[in-house]
């Protein structure tokens, strides 16, 4: 097992979460400086292993690594010895032997980051495994919510409500966000067609399940839209994108009249399906902030793991 890995929100105590948020605020301040770099991880190496497409997570981890002075190596299956038949485990052993200190991994199969962590002694960070979890996305979403509400303590999150709308069944973002926000006592509604609602999710996480967007959803402090995860659909879950948009899309006539509500989306967006462009680019939207905050939060995560759970920035 890796020395200190973040494979799931389950790996983090409330103290860890508060510490990562505190460091994220410090890193956010570093990113506002002329020279946005601290020396803490000088001489350390971060391997970015993405077996599935990514823009935000891969680039923000690469920038975050550089801003804490770590070196990075990018691994992609194309051109690697996996094409010659080398197994994933042998690939991980090889990368470990090459002197890598952190391994950031995304894979389309659930549990791969856990297997990798079991077969290496380096710290592993789950950058998304199938429809299971995406813990660093949930942490950056929490940081974005706290910045919007000008909160410093995670204990103040319990007064807020979040509605998550869309394809819950196939969403690792939904799973990690629900786990994280429920740990903090946040009230959650999930809104989805019956076909994409995990059975029993209301009882497992003590959350409210709805089939349609109603007044209570529109009164939530945060409304998070999710993409239809078609790459993980083994069957037809909705008649068409148009039908999905009609029932579960965030549309201007519902949303733009709201006051003091925040619209979120982890990206990538399918504009015109789960969210209309006028909503995504409105003043209520925190979508660009989510992307920007991803760098500070991932700097904080690398820093926190490197320090073995201690805080205090150089
Ligand atoms: N939110 C997210 O994980 O985006 P990418 O797939 O672009 O990394």
């Amino acid at each position: 097992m890796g020395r200190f890995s973040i494979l799931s929100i389950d790996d983090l105590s409330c103290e860890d979460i508060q510490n990562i948020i505190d460091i994220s605020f410090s890193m956010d301040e570093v990113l506002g400086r002329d020279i946005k770099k601290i020396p803490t991880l000088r001489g350390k190496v971060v391997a970015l292993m993405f077996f599935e497409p990514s823009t935000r997570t891969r680039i923000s981890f690469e920038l975050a690594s550089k801003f804490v002075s770590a070196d990075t190596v990018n691994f992609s299956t194309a051109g690697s010895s996996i094409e010659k038949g080398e197994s994933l485990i042998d690939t991980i052993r090889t990368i470990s032997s090459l002197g890598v200190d952190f391994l950031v991994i995304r894979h389309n199969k659930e549990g791969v980051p856990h297997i990798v962590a079991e077969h290496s002694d380096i710290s592993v960070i789950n950058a998304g495994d199938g429809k299971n979890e995406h813990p660093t996305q949930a942490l950056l979403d929490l940081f974005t919510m706290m910045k919007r509400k000008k909160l410093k303590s995670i204990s103040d999150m319990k007064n807020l409500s979040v509605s998550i709308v869309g394809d819950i069944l196939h969403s690792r973002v939904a799973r990690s966000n629900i786990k994280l926000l429920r740990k903090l006592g946040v009230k959650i509604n999930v809104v989805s067609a019956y076909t994409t609602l995990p059975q029993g999710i209301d009882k497992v996480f003590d959350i409210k399940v709805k089939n349609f967007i109603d007044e209570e959803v529109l009164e939530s402090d945060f409304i998070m839209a999710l993409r239809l995860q078609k790459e993980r659909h083994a069957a037809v879950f909705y008649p068409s994108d148009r039908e999905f948009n009609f029932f579960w899309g965030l549309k201007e006539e519902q949303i733009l009249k709201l006051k003091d509500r925040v619209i979120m989306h982890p990206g990538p967006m399918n504009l015109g399906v789960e969210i209309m462009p006028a909503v995504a680019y409105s003043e209520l939207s925190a979508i660009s902030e989510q992307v920007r905050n991803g760098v500070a939060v991932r700097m904080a995560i690398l820093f926190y793991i490197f320090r073995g759970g201690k805080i205090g920035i150089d």
Side-chain angles (χ1 to χ4, degrees), residues 53-58 106 134 137 172-173 266-268:
S54 169
T55 299
R56 279 150 281 269
T57 313
R58 191 177 58 73
R106 169 172 289 191
H134 194 350
Q137 177 72 43
R172 55 195 177 207
V173 174

Side-chain angles (χ1 to χ4, degrees), residues 286-313:
I287 297 169
S288 300
E289 291 156 47
Q290 287 173 269
V291 175
R292 206 164 38 247
N293 290 334
V295 180
V297 171
R298 287 171 174 131
M299 288 168 76
I301 287 167
L302 291 169
F303 180 99
Y304 192 61
I305 292 177
F306 172 68
R307 285 280 170 93
K310 295 193 184 71
I311 56 170
I313 125 164

